[in-house]
Amino acid sequence: MVKKAPGQVPHLTGEALAGLKERLATGAPFKSYGEIVEWLKSEYNLFLTYATVYAWVHDRLQAKLKVPRPQSGLQDVEAVEL
């Protein structure tokens, strides 16, 4: 039998991970990873760094933030609305 080191306990587990997955899939989209950090702090009282949240969302969950690209201030507003 091969022994395995226990390793570090993941920072984001259980209820918080399920809530994050649900919010990424169906809820209001996040505008930035910093907004996710603040949401986790307010909803689940988790104090995670930006890098940790980025690694979970981008690398492990393979989710993308659904935010439109910024528009130019020089664009004609009437032309865009057509």
Side-chain angles (χ1 to χ4, degrees):
M1 179 174 175
V2 178
K3 293 184 180 181
K4 182 179 174 187
Q8 186 175 0
V9 176
H11 296 289
L12 188 62
T13 58
E15 183 183 344
L17 182 58
L20 179 59
K21 283 182 182 179
E22 181 181 334
R23 173 83 190 267
L24 287 170
T26 59
F30 291 108
K31 293 181 182 175
S32 67
Y33 292 103
E35 188 177 329
I36 298 173
V37 170
E38 293 300 319
W39 181 78
L40 288 169
K41 191 182 301 181
S42 66
E43 291 290 319
Y44 298 102
N45 201 27
L46 288 175
F47 296 91
L48 302 176
T49 64
Y50 180 97
T52 303
V53 170
Y54 179 84
W56 272 94
V57 174
H58 187 262
D59 299 336
R60 293 186 185 193
L61 300 178
Q62 296 183 346
K64 297 187 189 274
L65 302 181
K66 297 174 179 76
V67 178
R69 294 180 64 118
Q71 299 290 323
S72 171
L74 303 176
Q75 275 183 326
D76 182 18
V77 176
E78 294 175 3
V80 174
E81 290 177 356
L82 298 175

